[in-house]
Amino acid sequence: MKSMHLILLFLFSLLTCAIPLNSANADELPPSNEPLLQFPVISDIHIGNDLQKDLFTKALSDLRKVAPDYQAIVMVGDITNNGTEQDYDNFNLILNSNINPSAEKVISMGNHEYFEGVFSGGEWNKDDYINRFVDKTGMPGLYYDSWINGYHFITLGGEGFPSQYDHDHANISDEQFRWLERTLAKGANLAQPIFVFLHQAIDHTVYGSDDWGAGFKDSRLMEILKRYPQAILFSGHSHYLLNHPRTIYQDGFTMVNTGSVAYAFSDFGAHRLSQGLLVKVYPDRVEIKAREFTDHTWIQSFTVPIPFQKTYEDEEKPFFAESSAVRVEKNINGDSVTLSWDAAIDNTLVDRYLIKHNGKVIYTKYMKFWETGTPEAKVTLEIPKLTPETAYNLEITAVDAWKNESETGLSVSFNTPKLFGWKLEEGKWHFYKEGLLVTGWQIIDGKWYFFSTDGYMATGWITSGNKKYYLNADGAMQIGWKEIDGKFYYFNIDGSVRVGWLLDRGNWYYLKSEGMVTGWLLDKNNWYYFSDLGMMKKGWIQVTGKWYYFESSGAMKTGWVQLNEKWYFLDIEGVMKTGWLLFKDDWYYLQSNGAMKTGWLNETGKWYFFKADGTMAKNTKIQRYVFDKNGVWIK
């Protein structure tokens, strides 16, 4: 009797666990507005530099504002950038300063937690980094479980990598798989979700897992979790945006992408966004809300019924309206064409367009699904890398967020001509005319360019013939003034560098092959002086405290010079003299302004007299005044 009683109890428990949501018993459970449990789930924090620290701090602060009393916080791997002790210490400092102190921590180990060993250049032991993870985070182990508010949390972890060359995929041992099977069975109830966490997603499930999945060689994890439809697997690793509908994926159980705090990705490329999840558990459902931490907004939300029902699936294919057509927007080049077409229609969103030539995909156009606003009615695309002189028969099909491809597409046919125009090949620019690669000097759109014998566009200094030229960063030949490496050059109308004298806008310059002259220049036995801007100076110029005079030709003057009816004397170096001057046995006196003195002069208490020609009177009598041999007036 006792055994029969146990069998009946067992069968009754199976029956009650399998009652669907629309059963009478489920209807008796009214929806609750107060969650029984709530917890954030974030991943790919990558603590390393100051930016990553700041983003982590802001994410935690934002979560405290929207859910101040969360009972747990989950971090699904790559909490550090390289797994160093310093990374962990910085992570813990920020985490402990910004979380709800009463919340339980659940942390998974990601592939980046091994990276110090991976990139050390020598031998490394995965167990050392697993032990560091356990020690620094305080978690029970690499994989472990816990019960929070009566709900089962199961954390998995990659045990190193599948090979020494594979640093992205997860390695799960038979021992860990067997532990998972035993642990999932503990207290399992179809009416109660089981939360499972692994850094990498199962391949080809949630958005981002096509390229950044766990890389499992078999379907073992999928098969295990399918036995428990109430399981919800959270994963990160891909950094893929939470704006995508396939953030949640269901195949016998539920899988969820957790985004990234440090930086985001999509098939389109990288994004400066920081995202995560907030999970709320109710008696009849689990609500998962995606959050953008950079602008404190909700992205989208998902509801998983309890018991499990498959609510997220889309088999409806996108389609084109009957009036849709493809247009050639620009002249077809030899290796590219720009097309536009009417956007396809879908019940979720069009994720991408496939451009096929004779049935083979030659280009994929990814759509910016994360941008808000009404989707554009027209799609424009430049298709590169076409083959010149080729007939193309293109078909454009649409693929939605759930990988459903439109049954029919839009068609367009055209012939590519011979190559013509600019082409960037292997990082260097070429130019084609009638399908042929040009070399040497070429004038294109009114500008001169120079191409090597291999057809590469030249930049910088070149020598052609006996002349030097300078080609700018865009390859165009320089004409006129140009500052290069801090020196000024002038290039003639033919592009050759100017050497010698140049009259430009009323100013004279002198140029050498190494650039414009500033300061002193000796040219054909004459000295010239040029300002810091290279302009030849004329007239009086003071240089390092000395005065010089330059004629209208710019040549420096020496000897006597008469200016404004005054005489000045410039020595052999061109320096203006002041004070006493002996010239051809005669004494002169030059005042402080350089002007020659005439008439009486009192110098140190003695009187002298200078004639109209500036010579000092000596050994002579002028009128009633007598001057000795030194020119001093004696009586």
Side-chain angles (χ1 to χ4, degrees), residues 567-618:
W567 285 91
Y568 300 84
F569 189 84
L570 304 138
D571 67 16
I572 194 170
E573 294 181 348
V575 178
M576 181 190 78
K577 295 290 292 181
T578 59
W580 289 99
L581 170 68
L582 179 63
F583 182 76
K584 295 183 179 180
D585 297 327
D586 284 313
W587 284 97
Y588 298 81
Y589 189 86
L590 302 161
Q591 301 174 79
S592 59
N593 64 359
M596 183 187 73
K597 180 69 176 175
T598 59
W600 287 100
L601 170 71
N602 186 296
E603 175 80 0
T604 63
K606 297 178 181 179
W607 286 95
Y608 301 85
F609 186 81
F610 296 88
K611 302 173 186 179
D613 64 358
T615 58
M616 181 188 73
K618 62 180 180 179

Side-chain angles (χ1 to χ4, degrees), residues 59-133:
L60 293 173
S61 175
D62 186 65
L63 288 167
R64 285 297 302 275
K65 291 178 181 177
V66 298
D69 299 321
Y70 58 76
Q71 293 90 349
I73 182 168
V74 181
M75 287 151 283
V76 193
D78 281 4
I79 60 174
T80 69
N81 205 41
N82 291 294
T84 66
E85 293 197 15
Q86 184 65 53
D87 287 349
Y88 277 111
D89 291 341
N90 289 330
F91 166 79
N92 285 322
L93 178 63
I94 297 170
L95 178 64
N96 295 329
S97 301
N98 292 279
I99 64 168
N100 178 5
S102 63
E104 186 166 342
K105 302 172 190 174
V106 178
I107 305 175
S108 306
M109 187 173 183
N111 59 311
H112 272 254
E113 273 69 75
Y114 291 103
F115 272 17
E116 183 187 47
V118 169
F119 298 112
S120 64
E123 293 290 331
W124 63 282
N125 188 334
K126 66 179 177 61
D127 292 331
D128 293 338
Y129 290 91
I130 294 172
N131 292 335
R132 178 182 291 177
F133 167 78

